[in-house]
């Protein structure tokens, strides 16, 4: 069938997602409050309409084909965007409520945004905030697709293609390690100190080459045994002696009697924090309140920050 005449219904996409999630048509039918034969027929009609097989059916389970995985990913994006749109339209009718969606990497600079959310909720208690933790590329992708209102980027330089406010905060790079590690006796850690040791590196920093200049040699010469997205999981690796974690400061609370300690890099290496949004974006009332709160908070945003580039 020609793609130009496909009339896929939102309801059917939700049926498909339920089936993909439960891996069982009977369970999906129960979840969606529809009979099993009716759900099977809807899924078969969807496959016929698209001209591909989406599901591999067996007596006990249902698994996705390659085309099924692709549709699942896109259907999740469509569903999320639809729910966001419905929420915004409903809020316009009922007053200031609804959701603000923010994508963010791990940074202590998130405190400035958290304070702003707390303050606007004092006057508008029905506003909700949804956080999506991912790296910078994931933030930009979701923002470009309209799935986020804002993003929080952690990087050395301002973003090139997004309006932004610069949060008045800098993150400092350092090494998270066991207290009984040989390097724990140093006040600061140099690249030479790390040479030959097992390193656990932020996936984003590795991909964006954020630490390449600091290392002053090809990072591939170092023994990188693991990469991570979430610092908590990397900290568990450090506790178990897998390696030394290159990370930003103040992401973890390190108790005095804990197993880990943090030391900054030498020479010092820092990253800046940018609160971004999509150019020409139309904000919901709730999102507008948040950005206005940050704009006027001298303790949150640098006074010389640029908003349009």
């Amino acid at each position: 069938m020609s793609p130009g005449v496909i009339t896929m219904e939102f309801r059917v996409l939700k049926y498909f997602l339920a089936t993909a999630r439960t891996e069982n048509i009977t369970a999906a039918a129960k979840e969606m409050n529809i009979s099993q034969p009716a759900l099977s027929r809807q899924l078969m009609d969807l496959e016929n309409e698209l001209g591909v097989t989406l599901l591999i059916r067996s007596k006990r389970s249902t698994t996705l084909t390659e085309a099924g995985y692709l549709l699942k990913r896109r259907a999740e994006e469509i569903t999320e965007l639809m729910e966001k749109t419905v929420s915004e339209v409903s809020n316009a009718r009922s007053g200031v409520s609804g959701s603000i969606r923010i994508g963010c990497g791990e940074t202590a600079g998130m405190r400035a945004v958290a304070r702003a959310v707390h303050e606007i909720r004092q006057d508008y208690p029905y506003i909700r905030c949804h956080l999506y933790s991912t790296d910078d590329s994931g933030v930009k992708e979701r923002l470009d697709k309209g799935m986020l209102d804002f993003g929080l980027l952690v990087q050395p330089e301002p973003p090139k293609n997004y309006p932004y406010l610069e949060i008045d905060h800098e993150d400092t790079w350092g090494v998270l390690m066991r207290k009984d590690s040989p390097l724990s006796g140093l006040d600061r850690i140099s690249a030479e100190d790390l040479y030959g040791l097992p390193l656990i590196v932020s996936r984003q920093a590795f991909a964006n080459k954020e630490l390449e200049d600091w290392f002053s040699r090809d990072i591939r010469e170092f023994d990188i045994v693991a990469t991570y997205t979430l610092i908590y999981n990397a900290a568990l690796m450090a506790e178990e002696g897998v390696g030394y974690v290159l990370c930003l400061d103040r992401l973890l609370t390190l108790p005095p009697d804990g197993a880990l300690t943090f030391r900054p890099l030498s020479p010092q290496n820092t990253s800046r924090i940018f609160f971004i949004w999509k150019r020409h974006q139309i904000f919901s009332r709730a999102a507008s309140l948040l950005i206005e709160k940050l704009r006027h908070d001298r303790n949150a945003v640098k006074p010389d920050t640029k908003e349009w580039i």
Side-chain angles (χ1 to χ4, degrees):
M1 177 175 291
S2 169
V5 296
I6 289 177
T7 57
M8 198 185 316
E9 295 184 24
F10 181 62
R11 167 179 53 84
V12 178
L13 282 182
K14 297 185 75 171
Y15 291 163
F16 170 74
L17 285 175
T19 306
R21 183 172 57 254
T22 61
E23 297 184 345
N24 184 283
I25 291 180
T26 301
K30 184 176 181 181
E31 179 181 311
M32 300 305 295
N33 195 28
I34 185 176
S35 70
Q36 187 270 331
L39 177 58
S40 294
R41 186 169 59 254
Q42 294 275 8
L43 294 174
M44 291 179 65
D45 288 344
L46 177 61
E47 290 179 317
N48 290 333
E49 186 176 16
L50 295 174
V52 295
T53 300
L54 300 170
L55 302 165
I56 301 173
R57 299 163 176 82
S58 67
K59 291 183 178 180
R60 294 189 176 182
S61 66
T62 303
T63 57
L64 296 176
T65 64
E66 184 176 349
Y69 278 111
L70 175 59
L71 180 61
K72 177 178 179 290
R73 187 164 65 250
R74 298 305 183 207
E76 288 171 340
E77 295 173 357
I78 292 169
T79 300
E80 189 170 346
L81 184 58
M82 179 66 77
E83 291 173 350
K84 179 177 182 289
T85 303
V86 170
S87 174
E88 290 175 352
V89 172
S90 298
N91 297 338
R93 183 182 65 247
S94 60
V96 182
S97 59
S99 299
I100 304 171
R101 292 169 170 81
I102 305 172
C104 48
E106 292 186 299
T107 169
M110 183 63 195
R111 288 187 179 276
V113 179
R115 285 194 301 268
V117 170
H118 173 70
E119 290 175 12
I120 63 174
R121 289 195 73 256
Q122 302 308 299
D123 296 323
Y124 306 99
Y126 296 107
I127 288 177
R128 300 290 182 264
C129 186
H130 301 287
L131 302 180
Y132 300 84
S133 296
T134 182
D135 58 17
D136 284 3
S137 61
V139 169
K140 293 174 183 177
E141 180 182 359
R142 295 176 73 90
L143 194 64
D144 291 342
K145 291 179 178 178
M147 299 164 68
L148 297 175
D149 298 300
F150 304 107
L152 202 64
L153 303 183
V154 184
Q155 56 189 48
E157 301 296 332
K160 295 181 179 180
N161 300 312
Y162 300 89
Y164 65 85
L165 298 172
E166 183 171 358
I167 301 298
D168 194 6
H169 172 92
E170 284 189 344
D171 285 324
T172 300
W173 283 95
V175 180
L176 186 69
M177 69 190 94
R178 288 175 58 96
K179 289 181 177 177
D180 58 5
S181 300
L183 298 187
S184 65
L186 302 177
D187 291 331
R188 292 182 175 274
I189 307 297
S190 70
E192 290 303 314
D193 294 327
L194 297 174
Y195 191 72
L197 297 178
L199 304 183
I200 302 170
V201 182
S202 159
R203 189 173 304 159
Q204 174 179 304
F206 187 74
N208 294 349
K209 302 181 179 180
E210 290 182 39
L211 296 172
E212 196 168 74
D213 290 341
W214 180 84
F215 274 108
S216 70
R217 65 167 74 183
D218 192 331
I219 194 172
R220 290 171 295 184
E221 295 181 23
F222 289 79
D223 184 16
I224 298 176
V225 298
T227 61
Y228 69 90
T229 301
L230 298 176
I231 186 60
Y232 178 79
N233 294 330
L236 294 180
M237 300 276 277
E239 283 191 27
E240 294 302 319
V242 175
Y244 295 78
V245 180
L246 281 163
C247 64
L248 299 173
D249 64 339
R250 291 175 284 180
L251 295 182
L252 292 172
T253 300
L254 300 177
D257 58 347
L260 300 177
T261 189
F262 178 90
R263 296 289 185 272
L265 300 182
S266 177
Q268 181 173 292
N269 191 301
T270 60
S271 283
R272 297 155 69 184
I273 315 300
F274 301 95
F275 186 78
I276 69 170
W277 56 94
K278 191 165 65 172
R279 192 185 297 273
H280 307 307
Q281 182 165 329
I282 299 175
F283 294 115
S284 67
R285 180 62 178 142
S288 296
L289 286 169
L290 176 58
I291 197 169
E292 287 303 314
K293 176 63 69 174
L294 285 172
R295 279 186 178 125
H296 295 96
D297 186 348
R298 295 183 178 180
N299 295 321
V301 175
K302 290 188 176 181
D304 58 346
T305 188
K306 297 178 181 178
E307 292 192 19
W308 301 98
I309 55 176

